[in-house]
Amino acid sequence: MSLLTIETTCDETAAAVISEGGKVLGSAIATQEKLHERFTGVVPEIASRAHVERILPVIDAALRQSGILPEALTAIAVAYTPGLAGSLLVGVVAAKTLAAAWRKPLVGINHLHAHLYACQLSSTQDVYPSIGLVVSGGHTSLYHCTSALDLTYLGGTIDDAAGEAFDKVAAMLRLGFPGGPAVSRLAAQGSRTAYSFPRSMIHDDHFNFSFSGLKTAVRYAIVGPGKQDFDNVRMDDKQKANICASFETAVVDVLVSKARRAVRKHRVSQLCVGGGVAANRYLRSELEAASKRDGFRLTIAPPELCTDNAVMGAIAWEKIRRGEFASLDLDIQPGLQRGY
Ligand code: KG4
Ligand code: ZN
């Protein structure tokens, strides 16, 4: 029994072949970092065109690595929500076409639920009931999870996602794209208290987040209020490191504080964290410290399953067990509304 999973929600083209027990039989991923680097962010049209070129070779590579023939597949699963419309379309059309040609059932995956499922994949025990925190380039969302597929949305960012803030701070400091890893590396050498950046909504008794004010505060710290020109900024490495460290600390303080409050309020004893920003070392260590202090069990997705990948699409097995298949009418849901 094996499943083909397809992931094209943003700028990674990925496919995997996964056994029913969650074993990865084949996996391929084509990253587009180089294509978007000079724009310091993902350009949707470029992303979708690159997906078109890469989707079939990537699926082919995953299948070949697994040694599984298409006729032996149990089903084909694809992330159809949320994400960039043009990117989602490529994966969904590919999955539907192959499902029709190979006469295989189709399964639709929610990309954010899959990010959290990466925690279950790396855990030897059941990670439910739990609070789930997804921190990625496009989302910062908290859920109350009673199973892999039963998630209640508690809140999320009302403007920028945490990863977006990392990427924009990196762009302001000319650190390249994607910015998270670069900001995190510099932050390790800086002072976490050099700047007192805002921690928006940290004390509010709800589970929404806001990072756009923090982004603006960092900008003022670099160029000064009302100024646009980053090219004339002269900052040495120490100053940049201090900005990165103080920024990273502000983001992590908010994430950890809200996650702890959600665990307390919903009286669960587990916290799961996934998404690209969950690869951040400082976030991981602060979450570990909070879990020891508060006594909850913490599962963070392994770093290689934090950023977008098709392995976390193993969540489709949970849907297959419930008989939740999609029809060939499955459409993309880019998700401009909040709460998934
Ligand atoms: O989950 P992901 O691969 O894509 C989305 O679904 O958005 O997340 C990508 C985001 C980017 O914003 C990237 O800068 C951030 O994750 N990221 C990090 C780190 N590694 C990746 N942010 C902070 N620290 C990191 N080490
Ligand atoms: Zn993602």
Side-chain angles (χ1 to χ4, degrees), residues 230-251:
F230 289 97
D231 287 329
N232 292 325
V233 172
R234 296 280 168 264
M235 270 195 158
D236 62 25
D237 286 351
K238 186 70 199 161
Q239 283 169 304
K240 286 186 181 179
N242 286 345
I243 291 209
C244 289
S246 303
F247 160 78
E248 184 180 62
T249 308
V251 174

Side-chain angles (χ1 to χ4, degrees), residues 29-103:
I29 182 158
T31 174
Q32 301 180 9
E33 277 173 17
K34 287 275 161 286
L35 297 181
H36 302 287
E37 204 171 20
R38 70 190 174 103
F39 303 103
T40 67
V42 176
V43 180
E45 286 75 14
I46 293 176
S48 46
R49 258 179 262 159
H51 283 308
V52 170
E53 287 165 7
R54 293 154 186 223
I55 186 73
L56 291 179
V58 162
I59 291 172
D60 194 43
L63 278 170
R64 275 172 200 270
Q65 203 187 84
S66 73
I68 303 283
L69 294 172
E71 47 268 38
L73 289 171
T74 305
I76 298 174
V78 61
Y80 73 100
T81 189
L84 299 172
S87 293
L88 287 167
L89 262 178
V90 179
V92 168
V93 169
K96 292 202 292 192
T97 307
L98 294 177
W102 294 340
R103 295 175 206 280

Side-chain angles (χ1 to χ4, degrees), residues 136-201:
S136 70
H139 299 86
T140 306
S141 308
L142 269 170
Y143 299 90
H144 180 218
C145 319
T146 50
S147 84
L149 299 176
D150 297 293
L151 297 87
T152 307
Y153 178 77
L154 302 176
T157 183
I158 58 163
D159 41 54
D160 298 326
E164 153 85 8
F166 269 94
D167 292 337
K168 288 297 171 279
V169 167
M172 290 187 247
L173 292 173
R174 306 278 188 258
L175 299 178
F177 173 82
V183 169
S184 165
R185 265 193 305 277
L186 257 188
Q189 300 154 29
S191 156
R192 299 202 173 270
T193 53
Y195 295 83
S196 65
F197 289 135
R199 276 108 170 115
S200 299
M201 298 179 171

Side-chain angles (χ1 to χ4, degrees), residues 9 111 115 136 308 312:
T9 58
H111 176 73
H115 266 307
S136 70
D308 290 347
M312 63 195 190

